[in-house]
Amino acid sequence: MRHDVRPLGVALAAAALLLTSGCGARPLSELHESESGKQQGPDTAPAADKAASVINAIKPDPALTAALPSRIRSKGLRMSTSEGYPPMEMFAADQKTIVGLDPSLARAIARRLGVHMTVSNEDFNAQIPGLITKRYDMVMTSMTDNPERQQKVTFVDYVLAGAAYLVKKGNPTGIQTPEDLCGKTVSVVDNGSSLELATGYDKACKAKSKPKINVLKFPGDQDALLAMTSGRAQANITDYVVAAFRASDPKTGSEAVPIIGTESPWGIAMNPTEKPFIDTVRKALQSLITSGDYQRILKAWNLDKLAVKSAVVNGGK
């Protein structure tokens, strides 16, 4: 679940894109002006960013700017992500500009800090090593904050995400809880965390002497979705962010139902040796939460259910 164990279909698509894109930072000629580092001062969100109007209205906080390391005040903020996990990070229609909730929030933070921002596109597995070797200042790529990763990096948590049922619009079979799946058919990506959830829910049904769950396993995310939309399955279990993205397309005729209890924090990964900088970023995010800009950005991406109430450090347990 989530970025590090994304559904197989999404992972394969991401891998294919990484192979074709060279798995690294893009040439400056392919970057949006705000990503190139040529632009000085607060960053301007590209038009393809669904939250552009909210981001571009954010005013810098001079106190936060003054608290930044001098290298960031002079050269800007270097953010890294791993494109290929919509709607969190993906290419816009021009196939060059990276958009999604993660770059939106990063741009909003950069504006509050009063600096411009560059974006690198790296393989997911290269993110933490790149942070430790100081190739970037922060990583925002749907990364789960957990104790294992806290041994290497420090997180400023910015969303709380879990799994979801993707069901037909209006939820005609009334699926809200795992128990509602007893006696029904669900589709999942084979060998993923969604399969683990479905298998566990099936055991719980049997333990309560209720009808078993018929689990349909598919090699890819698209096939699992088709099983639900065609009526072969009453629900598709997947990541909430994936479900919300699917549901935002009217052609799917679907809606996302969060699975309560599966949530965990996703964090902005930062170099643990830079404690004052970490606290400055946490304060910038908190100011966006307090002002309501944070919630408006999430809503622009149809991900407002991921909202946290406050910005905390290393909240993953």
Side-chain angles (χ1 to χ4, degrees), residues 106-274:
R107 289 179 177 115
I109 290 170
R111 281 197 67 86
R112 184 66 92 213
L113 294 174
V115 295
H116 71 89
M117 185 186 76
T118 58
V119 178
S120 293
N121 180 31
E122 300 278 357
D123 186 337
F124 185 81
N125 292 326
Q127 299 289 346
I128 289 180
L131 191 64
I132 293 172
T133 56
K134 299 186 177 181
R135 292 210 308 275
Y136 359 100
D137 303 305
M138 66 183 198
V139 169
M140 291 187 73
T141 187
S142 307
M143 186 176 285
T144 302
D145 171 3
N146 59 38
E148 181 182 359
R149 290 190 176 124
Q150 289 170 14
Q151 300 300 313
K152 300 177 180 177
V153 300
T154 296
F155 291 100
V156 177
D157 297 335
Y158 62 100
V159 293
L160 197 60
Y165 309 116
L166 189 65
V167 299
K168 286 195 173 181
K169 195 168 186 60
N171 197 0
T173 53
I175 295 173
Q176 297 289 345
T177 69
E179 196 165 329
D180 294 332
L181 296 177
C182 299
K184 295 186 173 64
T185 299
V186 302
S187 61
V188 296
V189 173
D190 198 3
N191 292 323
S193 55
S194 296
L195 174 60
E196 292 179 11
L197 283 177
T199 302
Y201 296 157
D202 179 48
K203 289 181 180 177
C205 289
K206 293 173 181 173
K208 294 182 179 180
S209 299
K210 293 195 171 187
K212 70 174 186 177
I213 299 172
N214 180 29
V215 181
L216 300 180
K217 296 179 283 187
F218 296 92
D221 185 61
Q222 283 287 353
D223 291 334
L225 170 68
L226 180 61
M228 188 280 294
T229 57
S230 67
R232 290 183 62 197
Q234 283 78 55
N236 167 214
I237 298 179
T238 185
D239 286 0
Y240 176 78
V241 294
V242 175
F245 181 69
R246 299 289 192 202
S248 67
D249 181 357
K251 294 178 182 176
T252 66
S254 63
E255 70 178 64
V257 180
I259 302 179
I260 306 302
T262 60
E263 304 88 350
S264 60
W266 292 358
I268 303 169
M270 302 187 68
N271 192 312
T273 64
E274 297 193 287

Side-chain angles (χ1 to χ4, degrees), residues 26 28-46 94 96-97 107 116-119:
R26 291 170 291 150
L28 290 176
S29 59
E30 293 184 359
L31 296 175
H32 179 269
E33 181 187 19
S34 64
E35 300 173 285
S36 68
K38 296 177 181 178
Q39 177 178 315
Q40 299 300 314
D43 201 36
T44 300
D94 64 4
K96 298 178 182 178
T97 307
R107 289 179 177 115
H116 71 89
M117 185 186 76
T118 58
V119 178

